[in-house]
Amino acid sequence: MSTDTRTPALWVAYGTGGVAGSIRHTDEGYLVTMAGADAPLGTFPSMEVAKAALHGRMRPGSDWPRFVEH
């Protein structure tokens, strides 16, 4: 008998100033949380949309962050 236990994946976004935020894959989609935020930014339908949303909330002119899976 096999049970299907899935651990949600987590990606941390690193900008030039350090950690910018994170993206967690859940059953509902990709949950984006900015570093230091009290609440998540929102849940997005795909990783690409989540990455763009996170980058869009960074300081204007910021380079695209580096995403590292943990």
Side-chain angles (χ1 to χ4, degrees):
M1 183 170 170
S2 173
T3 58
D4 199 15
T5 303
R6 187 182 73 145
T7 302
L10 172 70
W11 293 266
V12 176
Y14 295 93
T16 56
V19 174
S22 65
I23 299 173
R24 182 177 303 276
H25 186 232
T26 69
D27 290 337
E28 291 78 35
Y30 294 84
L31 181 68
V32 175
T33 304
M34 300 306 294
D38 292 331
L41 178 61
T43 301
F44 300 89
S46 72
M47 183 64 164
E48 292 75 24
V49 174
K51 285 179 176 181
L54 188 147
H55 181 245
R57 293 291 291 218
M58 292 173 65
R59 178 173 292 171
S62 293
D63 289 335
W64 189 261
R66 179 174 55 96
F67 292 91
V68 178
E69 187 172 6
H70 290 265

